[in-house]
Amino acid sequence: MQSLHHHQNSISHYPSPPTNGGVAVNVLGQPIGVGQGSPGSASSQIITPHWQQQLLKCEMIRASRSPHHRARASAMASRTVTKSAIPITNPNKPPPDATPKESDGAENGASPNTSGELTTNGVNSNINHPSSTVAPVAEVPRPTATKPPENSWSSLDMGGVQIKNLPPTSGLFSFTFLINLYLNHNALTAVPAEIAKLRHLELLDLSGNNLQTLPSELGMLTKLKELYLFDNHIATIPPELGTLHQLQTLGIEGNPLEPSLKAIVQKEGTSALISFLRDSCPIPPPPPQRLLRDLLPPGERDALLEDPNVEVFSVLCYNILCELYATERLYGYTPSWALEWPYRRDLIMAEIDKHKADFMCLQEIQTAQYEEYFTPKLGSMGYDGVYYPKSRYKTMGEADRRLVDGCAIFFKKSKYQLVEQHPLEFSTVAMQRPDFKKTDDMFNRVLIRGDIALIGLFENIETGSRHVIANAHICWDPKYSDVKLVQVALLVDELEKVANNFSKYPPRPPSGDSSVKPPPTYSDGTKIPIIISGDCNSVPSSGVYEFLANGSLPGDHPDFLAHSYGRYTQDGLRHRLGMKSAYAGIGELPFTNFTPSFRGAIDYIWYSTSTLSATAVLNEVDRGYLAKAVGFPDAHNPSDHIPIYAEFRVKPPRDPQAARPPPVFPNPSHA
């Protein structure tokens, strides 16, 4: 076998040959489809532009049947063509501006508005969102990173050498860095399921073998753009290949393929067949239910439940993926019926109802959905709620405003009452800061964002204890790690101010019942239980996580990207809330966001350790289920995020009615 080194891996197939008057011709200039003697290539075939390209590529593959054809062609090209004169590029890689990116609004009629955001028909476009191909975080290489492992070569040519068998234990499947793999014109009768380990493949050529079936695991190779199956004995395509949402060419010519499948390719092309397979694929069994993981020592749970003086509460955090963003363009691997809002909302509600949390922090709820669905539905389940949309709603008409998403906090109205709500528009708060007003980076980076947070001040109806609950949706763009830091710092600053003011509110009047314990008083905001929950779009190795966990961050931290943000970058970031992630004690979940482009933890529930202790968290998704999933949403998971959930015990403050503090025992507020 021979490898094509990285700078040569462009010779994946020949350039398209010319056509004569719209009729496809082979490399010798002869018409294709007449007298070629290959199955299914009779002159009576449907010759659409899609099928014409199919036949052109088929002829090119047939011309590469000699041993190591591409490796030899690449080596010859590297010897005869100087790199400075004619650089060899990968023909499978689209031009830089050919593939729409999150910042490119050319597709779907999107155009920039006055705030710098992209809109479609006046509404924020779904391109301003992470997707199946664009991750929310730019990371250093790690096991689940989207980039292939570093290697000096990325293409391997094993074509034309009469390989008869690929055992599952073959070392080939350890080459996870491969982008192009050529196994064409051998004598293979089967491809093992282990092919799915080569997750970074963009081109796979299995043409000219003796294959009768394909492994369903090929559907895990979601980066594939070219899959050549020419000249085999394949009669059908596994529906699991419907997840190959980036596939541009599925080479089927020369196979006794089921006529209905072949007709789709002939008339509408590869993408239409992939969509058909995706939407007709059988629904897999659901994953096992996620269980609660107890964080308390054995026996302490029962004691906690039996103590009438102990106050406990629970928090659910869930980015539900709003309807506007749940499109086939962003989530092409998901069946179209599973993206429909009526289907997803029922699954979302079932997930919410399953946990029955005291507080629910939901992100990406469209205004109309909050008013028309969530408020009445959750109201019937005993919840009340507060909501605030992203700041761009101010620039829109009434109809478009209802499509803007935002953050909502729902709470059990039989247990808590809302005292105040404080919406936080990061751009507005930043504009009001004196040390930010003359910062160019603030104008060019922070103020163009419409991200928001929502802070709710709550009081327990029975005990009078207070809680500050913050729900945030931080900037998603991986190129703006500095903005993520600024937004979280602004949120923490606002929380400290709001909590301090809340601590000065007079306690609730006594009920007159001498047996009822008087409500607690708070000397300052740090004595009130505080929760920061939301989609932070930041991994545990990020500056955002470090700042929240440690209470400080240097002003020259790499995540600031050398930009200037007044006091934040001059003196560094600091807070005195004493926060900890609910999952930190056992390690963050393997992921809270799962797509083909990204798998990682970016959603968190943070709590103030001086006033709260975490007693239980919701466990991870079953790994056996994930081994066969390319990403969420899917038939059983309605969002690209999973919900996270935690239970907390309130540490009681010092009793204000006591004549003096207990002389022997340590202060419980610092336990």
Side-chain angles (χ1 to χ4, degrees), residues 329-624:
R329 182 184 171 203
L330 296 188
Y331 301 95
Y333 53 90
T334 305
S336 59
W337 51 265
L339 287 176
E340 293 294 330
W341 175 242
Y343 179 85
R344 292 197 307 112
R345 75 182 183 187
D346 290 344
L347 289 181
I348 292 168
M349 190 57 63
E351 187 71 36
I352 288 174
D353 186 46
K354 187 188 307 179
H355 303 293
K356 295 179 170 57
D358 294 306
F359 295 99
M360 294 185 297
C361 297
L362 307 181
Q363 304 89 41
E364 289 198 18
I365 293 188
Q366 288 177 204
T367 303
Q369 295 164 357
Y370 172 79
E371 296 175 354
E372 299 170 5
Y373 181 74
F374 285 98
T375 295
K377 195 78 172 180
L378 290 174
S380 66
M381 296 162 58
Y383 288 91
D384 204 349
V386 290
Y387 172 80
Y388 197 75
K390 290 181 177 177
S391 58
R392 65 174 179 270
Y393 85 95
K394 297 178 179 179
T395 65
M396 297 177 174
E398 182 59 31
D400 290 339
R401 284 184 181 183
R402 299 182 61 75
L403 301 179
V404 175
D405 65 291
C407 294
I409 302 174
F410 288 95
F411 58 96
K412 286 185 177 178
K413 54 188 176 183
S414 62
K415 188 174 179 180
Y416 298 97
Q417 67 178 20
L418 176 68
V419 179
E420 285 181 6
Q421 60 173 306
H422 293 265
L424 179 62
E425 297 179 5
F426 294 119
S427 58
T428 302
V429 175
M431 192 66 180
Q432 295 169 350
R433 293 182 64 103
D435 57 331
F436 288 167
K437 285 187 176 179
K438 295 183 179 180
T439 304
D440 290 341
D441 289 331
M442 184 61 65
F443 280 101
N444 296 331
R445 298 179 68 80
V446 174
L447 299 186
I448 63 173
R449 305 293 311 182
D451 309 294
I452 56 105
L454 180 61
I455 302 172
L457 308 184
F458 297 93
E459 192 171 82
N460 187 301
I461 294 174
E462 181 180 349
T463 67
S465 65
R466 296 172 180 176
H467 302 282
V468 178
I469 309 292
N471 182 15
H473 194 179
I474 303 303
C475 167
W476 76 269
D477 198 322
K479 299 186 296 293
Y480 288 78
S481 62
D482 55 323
V483 175
K484 300 181 187 192
L485 274 176
V486 170
Q487 290 180 346
V488 171
L490 291 170
L491 171 61
V492 169
D493 286 349
E494 190 70 14
L495 269 173
E496 289 183 333
K497 182 175 66 175
V498 167
N500 278 329
N501 289 337
F502 196 20
S503 69
K504 298 174 184 177
Y505 292 5
R508 192 177 56 195
S511 62
D513 186 348
S514 58
S515 64
V516 177
K517 188 177 180 179
T521 57
Y522 303 93
S523 58
D524 61 71
T526 62
K527 304 301 187 295
I528 301 177
I530 296 176
I531 293 289
I532 300 177
S533 179
D535 178 0
C536 293
N537 279 309
S538 305
V539 293
S541 60
S542 66
V544 164
Y545 193 101
E546 181 180 342
F547 169 56
L548 287 173
N550 297 343
S552 64
L553 193 78
D556 60 352
H557 190 278
D559 280 7
F560 275 119
L561 304 177
H563 292 294
S564 175
Y565 295 108
R567 178 172 57 82
Y568 286 169
T569 48
Q570 291 170 9
D571 305 331
L573 304 180
R574 288 177 178 80
H575 73 79
R576 49 194 290 267
L577 297 179
M579 307 302 290
K580 183 178 181 180
S581 169
Y583 285 85
I586 61 170
E588 297 295 340
L589 292 176
F591 71 86
T592 63
N593 179 243
F594 178 31
T595 70
S597 68
F598 178 79
R599 182 193 291 205
I602 58 176
D603 305 87
Y604 306 97
I605 300 174
W606 296 86
Y607 67 97
S608 51
T609 55
S610 63
T611 58
L612 298 170
S613 61
T615 60
V617 292
L618 188 62
N619 231 329
E620 62 183 281
V621 179
D622 179 71
R623 297 190 179 187

Side-chain angles (χ1 to χ4, degrees), residues 6-20:
H6 181 71
H7 68 281
Q8 301 168 353
N9 66 6
S10 59
I11 310 300
S12 53
H13 56 69
Y14 292 102
S16 298
T19 60
N20 292 333

Side-chain angles (χ1 to χ4, degrees), residues 237 250 252 261 264-265 269-278:
I237 304 294
L250 178 63
I252 60 170
L261 299 181
I264 294 175
V265 178
T270 293
S271 61
L273 177 61
I274 294 301
S275 295
F276 171 78
L277 295 173
R278 179 197 65 204

Side-chain angles (χ1 to χ4, degrees), residues 166-168 173 190-196 215 217:
L166 269 181
F173 303 122
V191 177
E194 283 69 18
I195 191 73
E217 288 78 7

